[in-house]
Amino acid sequence: MGLLSSATALASVIGLYLTSSTASPVALERRFGNTGDVIRGVNLGGLFVLEPWITPSLFSQWEGGNNGTAVDEWTYCEALGKTECASRLNKHWASWVTESDIATLASLGLNHIRIPIGFWAFSVLPGEPYVQGQVPYMEKIIQLAGRYSLNVVLDLHGVPGSQNGFDNSGRYGAIRWQETQTNIDRSIQAIEGLARIAAKYPKIVDAVEVVNEPANWGLSMDGVIDYYKRAYTSLRNIAPNTIMVIHDAFLSPSSWDMLNVPGWQNVILDTHTYHVFVKDRLTLSRDGHLKATCDDARSVYGFNTRLWTITGEWSLATTDCARWLNGFGKGARWDGSMQWEMNGPVYPGATCSGQNSISAWDSPTRIFFRQFAEAQIDAYEAGSGWFFWNFKTEEADDWNYIKLAQNGLVPNPPTDRHYSRYSLGNNHWNIDISSPWCSN
């Protein structure tokens, strides 16, 4: 889950060129999964890469600064010690995603799941507090996905040294991924591990994302591109038919003109869109949130004709009020409990009370969230599809796909639109958007 996503991030997909072709998505010989070209999926976040806001129960013992502090998976294991960390995480890995969850996701009309995992599942050096044992649990989930006719994208969510400094990279703080060649080599080692799993389950795993959300502001982009090229070779050597997913690195369009790799095949771009982490989206009215998706649709549609593009993370959140969403122990921009550029709440009297609880939402709020879900799905299906973040959470309902769907707040199945209509031609990128909040 990215902490710096906005209209700018989504618009950044326009400028990435792998070939000079603009007629249709280039060199994608595979179809997505078993059910068609449009991905409709969810992320299994909070499983193999801990995030305090997804599962606050795992971090509650450190609330208030008692007994030290754990803010991410690194410090969680560091605080507990390897033996206790392994004990707790094995229980977590065995229970956070169940067969019932997978069956439910399939029953909701989805066709994909995206599984984030950290490099430490494949490599832990002396002095690193991480523990291992994730892979057997991940393979069990892959097998369950196949049983329920779901396909899988494996996502390298955290790399050594951290690619973005977010807690969801495994270690909050400085961005040190590119400081040593060893970090890059270990990242490739993790890609090779994921590739071997993809090769083992070729009918279920159809893609590997080679790094989640590399932060352009803290990295050499030449280095990121070199890494993408090396990851492509490594993936092709082991799992030649597996799609490779690259992230846009939150860059402006022109920044990607440098990438030109003729001959690449089966590569798709991932962009992430949230409405809560930057001022221009967080301060929108409800009508503004709906209309913003129209620009998103045009951007995704325009670029999807050059390089197949998925929106790998999005949610229904219009506030950042979920407990610890901005980091363990941190408040929210929405109510001014976190220091940010407005030096206060988004409007006088803004409160986080009830913002993340379906039971507190009145009828107009429920109608809005259903419209917002349909508007975003319209936008992202103007590209090659989407993955909602997250499949479930312990507390934050606006990030909990299963609960939202069961309460009629996202379409079930995703094609059951109440407020928007669209049509797909023979080619999945030929889409007619007719959402009522978008002008033709």
Side-chain angles (χ1 to χ4, degrees), residues 279-300:
K279 180 181 177 182
D280 65 344
R281 291 268 170 133
L282 183 62
T283 56
L284 291 172
S285 65
R286 288 181 175 179
D287 187 56
H289 284 293
L290 294 174
K291 290 182 177 178
T293 66
C294 304
D295 291 333
D296 296 345
R298 283 186 283 269
S299 294
V300 170

Side-chain angles (χ1 to χ4, degrees), residues 275-278 282 317-327 330-338 340 346 352 355-356 398-399:
H275 283 235
V276 299
F277 297 116
V278 292
L282 183 62
T318 57
T319 77
D320 62 336
C321 287
R323 181 163 63 128
W324 303 335
L325 178 64
N326 295 304
K330 295 184 179 180
R333 301 168 184 84
W334 182 259
D335 65 357
S337 58
M338 172 181 168
W340 72 305
V346 294
C352 280
Q355 294 288 352
N356 305 110
D398 43 353
W399 298 83

Side-chain angles (χ1 to χ4, degrees), residues 26 72 78 101 123-124 136 167 177-178 183 208 230 236 275 315 329 346 358 394:
V26 296
D72 51 28
E78 189 174 53
D101 292 325
S123 169
V124 175
D167 59 6
W177 179 36
Q178 295 177 335
N183 286 345
V208 170
R230 187 174 168 190
R236 288 289 165 267
H275 283 235
S315 79
V346 294
I358 290 174
E394 288 184 344

Side-chain angles (χ1 to χ4, degrees), residues 71 89 93 109 216 419:
V71 301
L89 287 185
W93 298 333
N216 70 81
Y419 298 96

Side-chain angles (χ1 to χ4, degrees), residues 120-142:
W120 53 92
F122 302 95
S123 169
V124 175
L125 295 181
E128 294 179 337
Y130 295 122
V131 299
Q132 294 184 300
Q134 300 90 337
V135 170
Y137 291 98
M138 184 168 68
E139 290 200 42
K140 180 179 178 181
I141 292 171
I142 292 169

